[in-house]
Amino acid sequence: MLAIFLKTLPFFALISLGYWAGRTRFFSEEATSYLTKFVFYFALSAMLFRFSANLSLANVLNWRLVGGYLWGTAFVYGIATAVAFVRKLDVPTAAMEAQCAVIGNVGFLGAPMLVLLLGEQAIGPVILVLAVDLIVFSSLIVILITGTRDGQLSILMLRTVGLGLLRNPMIVAISSGLIWSALAIPIPEPMNEFLAILGGAATPGALFAIGASLASKSAGQVQIALWLSFCKLGLHPFFVAIAVLYLFPIDAYTAGVVISAAALPVAGNVYMLAQHYDVAPHRASTAILFSTVFSIATVSLVIAWVGQF
């Protein structure tokens, strides 16, 4: 446990450094926004494309993994939604709480950290987890919020969901990389070096950006944020573990990667959605802040546990 904690500590130290920079205003909110754009559209996309281009779709696509992760995530989504309805929340707010309960920071934190800690072979399972989060659950919350407000499903809403997926640079990078791999085109050396250099900025840039963005998050509705953090850091990896170990059993290494991905704190893009649709942004903000702080210990515990598989 101590050895794993010491390995994860540099990642969270980078997040802390970013938090300090944002908190002291050394890094303004505008600077954080531009750093996040650089990582999202360039560095992380380069890293994901390079990894994907060196994979084969046949080796990446694991339907038992998808089924297991989807089942575990949907189960916790249902728990969070049920608890929200018991508290008499409306559908959009319940959907936002459920999103906080299951959507982890797989892109900015998981992809760089798990690949470095668990090996480059972790990228395949991480990509599938990221794809399920982006395609299924990020689409679901848009449908629930806009469908509830409009009173019905519309072609315009489905068009918005589809365009959102097509414009997401992580989806574009992953799919482009897999297509490149399927065509069996070798990556030219200059291009490979370019992608390696640019992708190398993803890890420090993403972690620093997470910390800097946390500095602008306000803490409110503490009890709800603690509940949502418990769902994300505790219930989510627990039920995903049940699914990938027993209900849809996969090999031990892949199961460990998926469970570790499920143990990550609430993703920053949940707050962006909450702010965009004006649905419980303070609740999402506090859940991101609390879950990230608690994950310093919980992620180390989960990675130490799956390392024994």
Side-chain angles (χ1 to χ4, degrees), residues 85-276:
F85 284 157
V86 167
R87 290 165 31 232
K88 303 187 184 306
L89 299 181
D90 57 21
V91 171
T93 307
M96 191 58 66
E97 287 198 357
Q99 197 80 354
C100 289
V102 300
I103 301 302
N105 209 333
V106 180
F108 271 44
L109 178 60
M113 185 172 73
L114 295 180
V115 168
L116 284 175
L117 288 177
L118 302 176
E120 284 203 8
Q121 62 269 40
I123 194 62
V126 168
I127 282 175
L128 281 183
V129 168
L130 189 57
V132 172
D133 283 349
L134 292 173
I135 295 171
V136 178
F137 293 99
S138 292
S139 300
L140 178 61
I141 190 169
V142 174
I143 291 170
L144 289 173
I145 292 174
T146 56
T148 301
R149 289 177 175 176
D150 296 341
Q152 61 180 353
L153 296 177
S154 66
I155 297 298
L156 182 61
M157 179 190 66
L158 296 177
R159 179 175 175 271
T160 300
V161 171
L163 287 175
L165 291 174
L166 291 174
R167 290 171 179 168
N168 188 302
M170 288 191 286
I171 290 287
V172 172
I174 291 168
S175 56
S176 299
L178 291 174
I179 291 171
W180 190 288
S181 173
L183 294 173
I185 304 172
I187 300 178
E189 191 58 32
M191 178 181 174
N192 191 55
E193 288 296 322
F194 166 77
L195 292 171
I197 293 170
L198 182 57
T203 300
L207 297 175
F208 191 94
I210 291 171
S213 64
L214 287 176
S216 62
K217 300 288 187 292
S218 58
Q221 300 180 310
V222 172
Q223 288 184 328
I224 297 170
L226 289 173
W227 157 245
L228 296 176
S229 296
F230 171 70
C231 287
K232 185 67 204 70
L233 302 177
L235 295 184
H236 192 206
F238 175 73
F239 282 104
V240 167
I242 290 175
V244 297
L245 293 176
Y246 301 107
L247 301 179
F248 304 85
I250 54 180
D251 67 274
Y253 173 80
T254 304
V257 175
V258 176
I259 296 166
S260 299
L264 296 169
V266 183
N269 63 0
V270 176
Y271 174 73
M272 293 167 63
L273 282 169
Q275 195 173 42
H276 177 74

